[in-house]
């Protein structure tokens, strides 16, 4: 397919517009990256006297402090236990449903899809408070299971809608051609459908992992004071520790996201994510 | 200053895309009210040329004059041209009426005036009954006519059509192309139409520009292109050709270092010998609808002939005569015989 | 590739909607629905009856722990908890702040996303892709970090003040103000809106823009009459998701906002844990929900409108 090399010939190239675009790009760079870079620098600085542009000195001592503080190590461990479990559970629960939404018509199909959305429009904190009420009764407050359930909820919308769009984009005649060539139903699913939908599923898993890994509000409400993950540890961290510690912790917390995004970047920008959010 | 009587003048147009010269020093003059086809194989630069006329692309070199005015550096919104795209490009969120009214609204015309003009042009393309339909609800042929109406309503100095018929089925194509031709004649509007269908070009154009790799090989009337194809490329592209390497004398192919082109229509077969005919055997006869394609073997060459009356059978022996041949040297026509 | 994907998807879904009902499909679709019913629908329902005074059954434990619990006093319940919340002096300022932040941030986010989407659609090229990569960064930064980093950036010893001090300019401390919340919510909401709107604008074919241009339309007119109407659904989705997300936000106002008034998301948490008044906390959640539902209606209306337009209904 011819890509869009044919740029539109709209007259927007004047010097003034170029100047404004330049200013805008610079503004965006400072607006978006500024805070992250500023915080990251703190993780390596001894102290920082206002209004110097540079810290008073460079050090790695804060990193050592973090790895020597048991509560923080515990939080890191918890995060890396819960998030993968959540992604797996979510995939098992949601992927068949995504496939069904793309390939079958069933009773209440549209209601299901819209219901998912409606659930999303209840304020997160209100929902967590409501769930907490229920969890008291079910004895799930302060338990790992409770935390996993909470984090799972945020992943469902990604894990159903994005793969559903990906499955639907697999041309039916490709599957039929494979069936025709004598492949079994399962083989066709594994070899054709799953392979072609893989980018969508990958994006869904990445988004789910990040969603679970970053979930703070619900985990805090349900998990604390027994279970802390990295984001909820941040809540108490910022109150009781120097900014450098929080900075180190922030970098650690951002690492998985950065790695995963690197993996799935192409597909996320390629429209798999946006495609998933339109009710069909 | 260019001559105001020309509908369109392209002078030395050159366009580079993706680091490649796509259009190479192209010249073309179209008279007012004339209908001209750009004909050529896929990728030869027809669309690129048309888009430069419309203003969607700016040439690296050269000048575009429309109705005597230099528009080379104007954006499409400022040019007195209207283009119909291959897939019609109707706005799906507007009704047929609104699609056609859009250009007039931009010209800040009054409501009553807009309505009058849109109705007029919808009458012309015979679509009044669909004026409140949306593009998604009407057929391909009807969409095509809406696109045409939207172009015509602008009363452009030049109408540009990029393969306007390629999305229609064969029957509709013939009808719509006649409609377009008819309308173009009636309105007297200068028109450039892109096509890679030689039938289409031959039947509706006043003149045809045959393009090859970003250049115009020949620009002439359909009859002329057929009778006097200036290059071997054009001869091959327009109509069919028996192509034989050698020379030509006395109605026969002789050894030589030229290329002889003989139209199958110019080969006749008969049972009895006439002046200029030579013995031939019929090898194969293929029915082609209203004529038959007859493969003949002569001592000097194998020839295809188009025959519609007194069709021979395979194995028949008789005489074949070549009434006209085109002789090319280095791809250029050197003589006809 | 995006466009082909879209087409294939739309056809795929359209085909499915015409197919006959499948039992297998129903059961495959069931698990996530059950999870949502069990852990979203049910808690919300239980919470709702709690908010109107049903304190028995699943609400028994919380009713014992919590303070200021209003019990039902008529056959349907009681509105006392709602009245108590509305009458609370903290509520009105909180509510107003929530609405203002939601409105302003959504507006700014949509404007920025439209600007970037249009730029990318029309110009393309390196600058556009750098810009879009840049604006996607927040998608992958946990809210907690983002909020904290922004707080550090704009606080008394933050970068903005440090930088400006080099030129002898006293930059204001923004942290703990309404504006800081707005900055934070814009920062966190930008990527999703940009993704949605960019992909919506990209799926408008070139020819549709070029014909308008050919007809003489100016840039702004093409945006207004062609691009926005054709990308309407993604734009509305971007708007509703952004607004709903901001309305219920918690971490950003917690880290960046003032103590009083604060956004309702924070207040829900305060009432639930700090003040131990769970019923009123729930009531606030329902007030936000009501507002969010109003916005959600927009989303559904946009979807239906687009279906009508393309002749699907
Ligand atoms: N933006 C571009 N960048 C690079 N090459 C281009 C671009 N646009 C067109 N081309 C190339 O220019 C050549 C001519 O393209 P053009 O679209 O004018 O052909 P055409 O004669 O209209 O063919 P068709 O009959 O297939 O429509 C082709 O080889 C094409 O690949
Ligand atoms: Mg073309």
């Amino acid at each position: 397919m011819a890509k869009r090399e044919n740029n539109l010939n709209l007259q927007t190239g004047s010097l003034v517009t170029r100047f404004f675009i330049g200013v805008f790009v610079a503004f965006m760079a400072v607006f978006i990256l500024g805070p992250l870079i500023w915080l990251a620098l703190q993780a390596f600085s001894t102290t920082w006297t206002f209004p110097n542009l540079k810290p008073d000195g460079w050090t790695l001592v804060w990193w050592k402090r973090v790895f020597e503080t048991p509560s923080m190590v515990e939080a890191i461990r918890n995060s890396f236990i819960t998030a993968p479990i959540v992604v797996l559970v979510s995939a098992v629960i949601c992927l068949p449903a995504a496939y069904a939404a793309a390939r079958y018509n069933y009773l209440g199909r549209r209601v299901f899809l819209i219901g998912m959305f409606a659930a999303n429009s209840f304020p997160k904190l209100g929902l967590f408070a409501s769930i907490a009420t229920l969890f008291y009764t079910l004895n799930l407050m302060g338990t790992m299971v409770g935390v996993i359930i909470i984090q799972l909820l945020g992943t469902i919308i990604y894990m159903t809608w994005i793969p559903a769009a990906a499955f639907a984009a697999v041309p039916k005649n490709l599957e039929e051609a494979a069936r025709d060539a004598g492949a079994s139903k399962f083989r066709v699913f594994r070899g054709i459908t799953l392979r072609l939908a893989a980018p969508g599923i990958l994006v869904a898993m990445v988004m789910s992992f990040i969603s679970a890994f970053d979930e703070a509000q619900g985990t805090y409400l349900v998990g604390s004071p027994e279970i802390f993950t990295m984001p909820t540890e941040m809540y108490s961290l910022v109150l009781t520790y120097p900014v450098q510690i929080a900075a180190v912790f922030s970098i650690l917390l951002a690492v998985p996201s950065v790695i995963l995004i690197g993996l799935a970047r192409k597909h996320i920008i390629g429209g798999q994510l946006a495609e998933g959010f339109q009710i069909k | 200053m260019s001559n105001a009587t020309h509908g369109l003048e392209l002078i030395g147009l050159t366009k580079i895309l993706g680091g490649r010269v796509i259009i190479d020093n192209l010249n073309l003059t179209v008279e007012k009210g004339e209908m001209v086809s750009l004909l050529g194989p896929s990728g030869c630069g027809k669309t690129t040329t048309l888009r430069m006329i419309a203003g969607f692309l700016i040439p690296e070199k050269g000048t575009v004059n429309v109705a005597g005015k230099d528009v080379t550096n104007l954006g499409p919104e400022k040019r007195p041209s209207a283009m119909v795209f291959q897939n019609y490009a109707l706005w799906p969120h507007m009704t047929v009426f609104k699609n056609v009214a859009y250009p007039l609204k931009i010209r800040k015309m009054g409501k009553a005036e807009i309505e009058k003009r849109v109705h007029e042009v919808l009458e012309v393309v015979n679509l009044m009954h669909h004026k409140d339909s949306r593009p998604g609800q009407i057929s391909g042929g009807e969409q095509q006519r809406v696109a045409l109406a939207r172009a015509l309503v602008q009363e452009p100095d030049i109408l540009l059509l990029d393969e306007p018929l390629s999305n229609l089925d064969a029957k509709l194509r013939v009808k719509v192309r006649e409609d377009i031709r008819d309308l173009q004649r009636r309105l007297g509007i200068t028109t450039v139409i892109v096509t890679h269908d030689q039938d289409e070009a031959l039947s509706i154009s006043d003149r045809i520009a045959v393009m090859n790799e970003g250049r115009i090989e020949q620009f002439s009337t359909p009859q002329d292109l057929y009778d006097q194809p200036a290059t071997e490329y054009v001869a091959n592209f327009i109509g069919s050709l028996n192509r034989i390497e050698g020379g030509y004398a006395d109605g026969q192919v002789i050894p030589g270092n030229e290329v002889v082109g003989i139209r199958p229509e110019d080969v006749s077969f008969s049972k009895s010998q006439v002046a200029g005919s030579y013995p031939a055997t019929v090898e194969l006869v293929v029915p082609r609808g209203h004529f038959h394609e007859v493969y003949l073997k002569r001592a000097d060459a194998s020839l295809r002939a188009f025959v519609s009356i007194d069709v021979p059978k395979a194995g028949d022996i008789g005489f074949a005569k070549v009434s006209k041949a085109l002789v090319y040297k280095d791809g250029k026509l050197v003589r006809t015989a | 590739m995006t466009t082909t994907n879209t087409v294939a998807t739309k056809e795929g879904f359209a085909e499915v909607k015409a197919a006959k009902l499948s039992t297998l499909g129903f059961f495959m679709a069931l698990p996530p629905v059950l999870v949502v019913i069990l852990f979203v629908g049910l808690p919300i329902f239980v919470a709702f009856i709690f908010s109107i005074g049903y304190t028995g059954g699943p609400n028994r434990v919380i009713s014992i722990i919590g303070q200021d619990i209003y019990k039902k006093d008529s056959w349907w319940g009681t509105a006392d908890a709602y009245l108590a919340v509305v009458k609370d002096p903290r509520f009105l300022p909180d509510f107003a702040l929530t609405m203002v932040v939601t409105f302003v941030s959504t507006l700014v986010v949509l404007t920025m996303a439209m600007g970037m989407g249009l730029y990318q659609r029309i110009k393309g090229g390196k600058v556009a892709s750098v810009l879009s990569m840049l604006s996607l960064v927040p998608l992958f930064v946990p809210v907690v970090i983002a909020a904290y980093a922004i707080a550090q950036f704009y606080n008394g010893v933050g970068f903005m003040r440090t930088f400006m001090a080099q030129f002898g300019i006293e930059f204001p401390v923004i942290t703990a103000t309404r504006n800081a919340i707005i900055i934070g919510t814009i920062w966190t909401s930008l990527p999703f809106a940009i993704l949605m709107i960019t992909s919506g604008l990209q799926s408008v074919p070139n020819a549709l823009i070029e014909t308008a241009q050919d007809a003489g339309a100016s840039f702004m007119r093409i945006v207004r009459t062609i691009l926005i109407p054709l990308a309407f659904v993604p734009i509305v989705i971007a708007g509703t998701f952004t607004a709903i997300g901001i309305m219920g936000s918690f971490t950003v106002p917690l880290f960046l906002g003032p103590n009083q008034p604060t956004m309702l998301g924070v207040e829900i948490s305060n009432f639930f844990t700090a003040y131990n008044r769970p019923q009123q906390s729930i009531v606030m959640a329902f007030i936000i929900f009501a507002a969010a539902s109003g916005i959600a209606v927009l989303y559904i209306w946009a979807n239906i409108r687009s279906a009508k337009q393309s002749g699907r209904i």
Side-chain angles (χ1 to χ4, degrees):
Chain A
M1 195 190 100
K3 274 194 72 181
R4 257 194 207 98
E5 316 104 331
N6 287 324
N7 283 337
L8 297 167
N9 177 27
L10 285 170
Q11 253 63 2
T12 50
S14 79
L15 269 179
V16 184
T17 26
R18 271 204 225 152
F19 174 77
F20 275 113
I21 288 163
V23 169
F24 185 70
V25 173
F27 167 79
M28 287 301 288
V30 173
F31 180 74
I32 289 173
L33 298 181
L36 300 176
I37 295 170
W38 185 250
L39 184 64
L41 288 180
Q42 313 260 10
F44 302 96
S45 54
T46 48
T47 51
W48 200 322
T49 319
F50 181 82
N52 294 341
L53 265 183
K54 272 198 331 200
D56 305 331
W58 301 103
T59 175
L60 283 177
V61 66
W62 307 111
W63 293 78
K64 213 167 131 242
R65 281 269 302 274
V66 164
F67 287 110
E68 278 167 358
T69 312
S71 74
M72 294 184 199
V73 176
E74 168 89 14
I76 294 172
R77 221 199 51 191
N78 281 342
S79 271
F80 281 98
I81 292 173
T82 55
I85 293 180
V86 169
V87 173
L88 278 185
V89 173
S90 183
V92 169
I93 291 177
C94 299
L95 287 183
Y99 185 76
R103 280 286 187 259
Y104 302 112
N105 190 14
Y106 46 84
L107 202 65
R109 181 174 173 278
R110 222 179 149 80
V111 178
F112 280 11
L113 289 174
I114 296 181
M116 297 265 171
F117 173 72
N120 202 45
S121 56
F122 197 78
K124 280 272 142 54
L125 232 91
L127 175 63
F128 296 144
S130 308
I131 292 176
T133 314
L134 184 76
F135 277 12
Y136 274 126
T137 314
L138 297 178
N139 266 330
L140 287 172
M141 286 303 266
T143 66
M144 212 60 158
V145 177
V147 169
I148 287 173
I149 290 174
I150 281 278
Q151 296 184 350
L152 178 70
L153 294 178
T155 67
I156 284 179
I157 203 155
Y158 292 121
M159 209 54 118
T160 47
W161 285 18
I162 299 172
F167 282 131
V170 177
K172 247 200 166 131
N173 50 17
L174 272 188
E175 290 180 3
E176 279 156 7
R179 289 301 305 273
D180 226 32
S184 72
K185 226 174 179 165
F186 176 72
R187 225 192 139 109
V188 169
F189 177 76
R190 209 192 47 191
I192 311 261
T193 321
L194 207 56
R195 182 151 313 164
L196 289 179
I201 295 173
L202 176 71
V203 170
M205 288 189 141
V206 167
M207 295 307 292
S208 298
F209 184 90
I210 294 173
S211 154
F213 194 76
D214 295 353
E215 210 294 314
Q217 314 162 10
T219 309
Y220 188 74
L221 209 67
V222 169
S224 70
E226 278 84 18
I227 296 178
F228 281 94
T229 59
M230 290 174 74
T232 60
E233 180 75 11
M234 272 291 281
Y235 283 127
S236 45
L237 215 75
V238 300
L239 297 176
T240 44
Y241 285 90
V243 55
Q244 289 92 331
I245 292 279
V248 170
F249 214 67
S250 294
I251 293 177
L252 290 176
L253 185 43
V255 167
S257 300
V258 171
I259 292 174
L260 287 172
I261 291 337
L263 287 178
R265 200 194 68 205
K266 200 174 83 211
H267 305 298
I268 290 173
I269 294 167
Q272 293 281 0
L273 186 61
E275 192 51 51
F277 278 87
Q278 311 198 24
I279 297 182
K280 300 286 161 42
Chain B
M1 198 54 219
S2 62
N3 188 339
T5 56
H6 296 318
L8 169 74
E9 251 186 311
L10 305 180
I11 306 163
L13 278 195
T14 298
K15 182 73 205 170
I16 297 168
L17 283 170
R20 254 184 341 123
V21 178
I22 305 294
I23 299 296
D24 187 8
N25 190 25
L26 180 141
N27 294 291
L28 182 72
T29 307
V30 178
E31 300 307 329
K32 276 213 168 117
E34 204 181 9
M35 178 133 178
V36 163
S37 299
L38 298 182
L39 178 64
S42 185
C44 71
K46 307 178 296 286
T47 299
T48 307
T49 307
L50 203 70
R51 289 171 65 82
M52 283 195 282
I53 305 174
F56 297 120
L57 288 173
I58 302 291
E60 260 75 42
K61 273 210 292 271
T63 313
V64 180
N65 290 328
V66 174
K69 212 176 121 220
D70 183 350
V71 298
T72 315
N73 292 313
L74 297 183
E77 69 277 11
K78 301 216 176 68
R79 293 194 187 194
S81 57
M83 180 150 165
V84 175
F85 286 75
Q86 182 176 352
N87 46 12
Y88 321 136
L90 298 179
W91 300 300
H93 60 297
M94 300 183 193
T95 61
V96 166
F97 180 92
K98 287 206 171 127
N99 263 282
V100 179
Y102 188 87
L104 301 180
K105 266 200 198 147
I106 289 167
R107 287 164 178 71
K108 303 220 165 53
M109 214 172 261
K111 233 190 166 123
E113 175 72 13
I114 290 182
E115 186 156 329
K116 189 175 134 262
R117 292 245 235 144
V118 172
H119 284 183
E120 267 170 26
V121 72
L122 284 179
E123 293 283 1
V124 169
V125 298
N126 215 346
L127 272 179
M128 267 310 276
H129 57 294
H130 270 316
K131 84 180 164 71
D132 294 319
S133 310
R134 287 192 189 274
Q137 300 163 331
I138 60 179
S139 74
E142 286 162 340
Q143 290 182 25
Q144 213 279 332
R145 271 140 62 201
V146 177
L148 195 60
R150 185 176 56 187
L152 290 175
V153 83
Q154 306 175 35
E155 302 186 343
D157 287 339
I158 186 165
L159 180 63
L160 307 171
L161 306 161
D162 189 359
E163 311 218 10
L165 306 173
S166 59
N167 285 356
L168 305 179
D169 65 57
K171 244 209 177 111
L172 200 55
R173 221 140 123 169
V174 174
K175 187 188 164 332
V176 176
R177 82 184 185 204
E178 243 101 75
D179 287 351
I180 291 180
R181 176 56 161 162
D182 195 43
L183 209 62
Q184 186 269 337
R185 277 222 176 93
R186 252 192 303 147
L187 303 177
I189 184 171
T190 315
T191 304
V192 177
I193 178 169
V194 161
T195 175
H196 54 225
D197 178 345
Q198 52 156 316
D199 261 5
E200 201 169 293
L202 289 170
S203 60
I204 62 172
S205 334
D206 292 315
R207 284 194 287 168
I208 300 172
V210 180
M211 290 186 66
N212 180 25
E213 292 181 355
R215 284 172 299 107
I216 291 183
E217 289 270 332
Q218 189 174 6
F219 180 41
S220 199
T221 61
Q223 194 63 48
D224 200 34
L225 283 179
Y226 193 82
D227 293 343
Q228 303 276 330
T231 63
E232 209 189 313
Y233 175 85
V234 175
N236 258 315
F237 200 78
I238 306 270
S240 311
L241 200 71
N242 290 295
R243 182 185 183 280
I244 308 138
E245 286 175 14
Y248 188 76
D250 300 332
Q252 251 186 315
V253 179
I254 55 169
N257 58 352
E258 296 166 322
V259 171
V260 182
I262 300 166
R263 299 255 183 234
E265 297 89 317
D266 295 331
V267 180
S268 55
F269 178 80
S270 63
K271 289 275 163 65
S272 51
Q273 183 156 26
V274 293
S277 71
Y278 297 90
T281 319
V282 176
E283 298 206 304
L284 182 67
V285 178
V286 182
R288 293 270 184 221
H290 53 280
F291 64 88
H292 285 73
E293 197 173 337
V294 178
Y295 287 79
L296 300 167
K297 176 106 189 120
R298 251 174 35 169
D300 58 335
S302 296
L303 296 169
R304 271 182 312 140
F306 292 164
V307 178
S308 43
I309 42 172
D310 290 338
V311 182
K313 297 190 305 291
D316 283 3
I317 297 176
F319 299 91
K321 176 182 165 157
V322 174
S323 49
K324 188 186 161 202
L326 308 158
V327 182
Y328 293 92
K329 179 144 195 184
D330 297 331
K332 297 233 169 14
L333 187 65
V334 286
R335 65 201 154 90
T336 61
Chain C
M1 273 320 283
T2 322
T3 30
T4 38
N5 260 345
T6 316
V7 172
T9 311
K10 272 190 184 138
E11 276 164 9
F13 277 116
E15 212 173 282
V16 163
K17 265 184 273 188
K20 66 182 204 300
L21 297 182
S22 147
T23 326
L24 175 65
F26 180 81
F27 282 105
M28 281 168 79
L30 211 48
V33 176
L34 284 182
V35 171
V36 170
I37 290 177
L38 197 59
F39 293 107
V40 180
L42 181 67
I44 291 176
F45 173 75
V46 170
F48 179 69
I49 59 172
F50 178 47
S51 78
I52 56 172
Y54 286 81
T55 50
N59 291 322
R60 209 176 60 86
V61 183
I62 194 101
S63 306
I64 294 166
I65 302 172
Q67 291 174 356
D68 293 338
I69 304 289
Y70 296 92
K71 293 206 163 72
K72 72 173 184 143
D73 52 12
S74 68
W75 63 268
W76 58 270
T78 175
D80 287 351
Y82 285 82
L83 289 176
V85 166
V86 174
K87 276 197 204 122
D88 191 301
R90 269 169 296 206
F91 177 74
L92 257 189
D94 283 353
F95 185 75
L97 179 76
T98 306
M99 290 300 140
V100 168
V101 168
T102 303
F103 182 76
V104 174
S105 297
T106 306
L107 209 66
V108 175
V109 165
L110 283 187
T111 316
M112 286 173 83
M114 279 300 292
M116 275 192 240
L118 284 173
Y119 184 69
Q120 190 158 14
R121 177 69 187 81
I122 282 159
K123 279 247 98 115
K126 242 205 192 109
V127 177
S129 59
V130 166
L131 209 53
S132 81
M133 291 296 292
L134 204 59
S135 52
L136 288 186
V137 167
L139 193 59
F140 314 118
V141 177
V143 192
V144 192
I145 300 183
Y148 185 68
I150 292 171
Q152 296 302 315
F153 197 66
Y154 295 100
N155 69 13
V157 296
F159 173 80
M160 285 316 281
R161 273 174 60 81
T162 305
F163 184 72
M164 288 303 183
Q166 311 302 314
F167 308 99
I169 302 170
E170 176 90 351
F171 195 83
V173 178
I174 301 183
T175 312
T177 66
R178 186 186 62 196
N179 291 345
I181 308 182
I182 292 177
I183 289 175
T185 48
I186 291 172
W187 200 96
T188 49
S189 321
L190 207 49
F192 181 76
I194 286 179
L195 274 176
M196 271 329 281
I197 291 180
T198 305
S199 102
L201 291 174
Q202 292 294 2
S203 66
V204 178
N206 258 359
L208 292 190
I209 302 170
E210 288 182 336
T211 359
Q213 215 189 339
D214 198 35
S218 63
F219 171 66
M220 280 321 284
R221 194 173 187 115
I222 293 175
V223 171
R224 189 163 50 82
T225 57
I226 309 290
L227 284 171
I228 292 185
L230 288 177
F232 191 70
V233 174
I235 293 172
V236 170
I237 294 177
T240 47
F241 272 69
T242 303
I244 289 171
I246 294 175
M247 209 179 272
S249 61
F250 165 73
T251 308
V252 168
L254 179 75
F255 278 48
L256 288 167
N259 283 332
Q260 277 307 320
T262 179
M263 283 181 69
L264 284 175
V266 179
E267 211 67 288
I268 289 175
S269 160
N270 286 346
F271 272 67
F272 196 83
T273 44
Y275 311 151
N276 193 18
R277 278 147 72 184
Q279 199 181 24
Q280 300 185 22
S281 158
I282 296 292
V283 164
M284 285 180 195
F286 276 99
I287 292 173
I288 299 181
F289 184 51
S293 307
I295 298 171
V297 168
L298 247 184
Y299 165 83
I300 290 164
W301 165 76
N303 269 297
I304 291 173
R305 196 186 100 131
S306 92
K308 260 195 193 133
Q309 243 176 29
S310 54
R312 271 181 282 156
I313 296 186

